[in-house]
Amino acid sequence: MLNFNKFYTDLTAPRRYALAFLIFVVALFVRAVMLPVQSGMAFITFYPAIVIAFYLCGLWPGSLTVLLSAAAGYYIYFKPYFTFTYTPEAAHTTLAFLISAAIIGYIVTRTHHDSNLALLHQQQLADSRLAESENFLQLAMDAAHLGAWR
């Protein structure tokens, strides 16, 4: 079974970046299919993408998804379309996206990190209890001196 709590630790760094890029491409495709370029809402599909990227891939690959999303949103979905021409609306909306994405990234990675620490603590506690049980059993076997016990 796939454990999403430690998914990104099982992947190598290049695979995490590749997955983050793939998540961005899917979000861009969904945005292109959902709404025409002129409809506004430049970043609507990129918000779920960054949550997924931060959760599955970690901080830096998630940040790559944010930067790609911001660049694509600015370039494609603001007038004049398909240019990086400065307009106050595009700049302010993109800045708001970057700030909210940073907050989302902090929350997702911090929550994910805290849950991993709790799981690690539970595993360490279980390991120490198992070691105590093994030591107790070894002491009982050493004290028994009976062949049938062994």
Side-chain angles (χ1 to χ4, degrees), residues 20-37:
F21 181 76
L22 179 65
I23 291 168
F24 158 73
V25 169
V26 169
L28 184 61
F29 176 76
V30 169
R31 171 60 178 85
V33 169
M34 277 180 42
L35 299 166
V37 171

Side-chain angles (χ1 to χ4, degrees), residues 32-114:
V33 169
M34 277 180 42
L35 299 166
V37 171
Q38 304 84 358
S39 68
M41 296 183 286
F43 302 108
I44 192 161
T45 59
F46 295 120
Y47 281 107
I50 61 172
V51 171
I52 293 168
F54 277 120
Y55 188 79
L56 291 182
C57 304
L59 178 63
W60 295 112
S63 299
L64 173 67
T65 304
V66 169
L67 293 176
L68 291 172
S69 300
Y74 193 100
Y75 182 77
I76 297 171
Y77 299 111
F78 288 101
K79 288 181 185 177
Y81 302 112
F82 299 99
T83 66
F84 282 112
T85 304
Y86 173 81
T87 62
E89 177 194 5
H92 294 140
T93 305
T94 304
L95 182 61
F97 171 75
L98 288 170
I99 291 169
S100 58
I103 293 167
I104 289 168
Y106 174 78
I107 291 169
V108 170
T109 55
R110 184 66 191 176
T111 304
H112 196 231
H113 176 72
D114 290 348

Side-chain angles (χ1 to χ4, degrees), residues 141 144-150:
M141 288 172 51
H145 298 300
L146 297 174
W149 173 261
R150 290 187 191 268

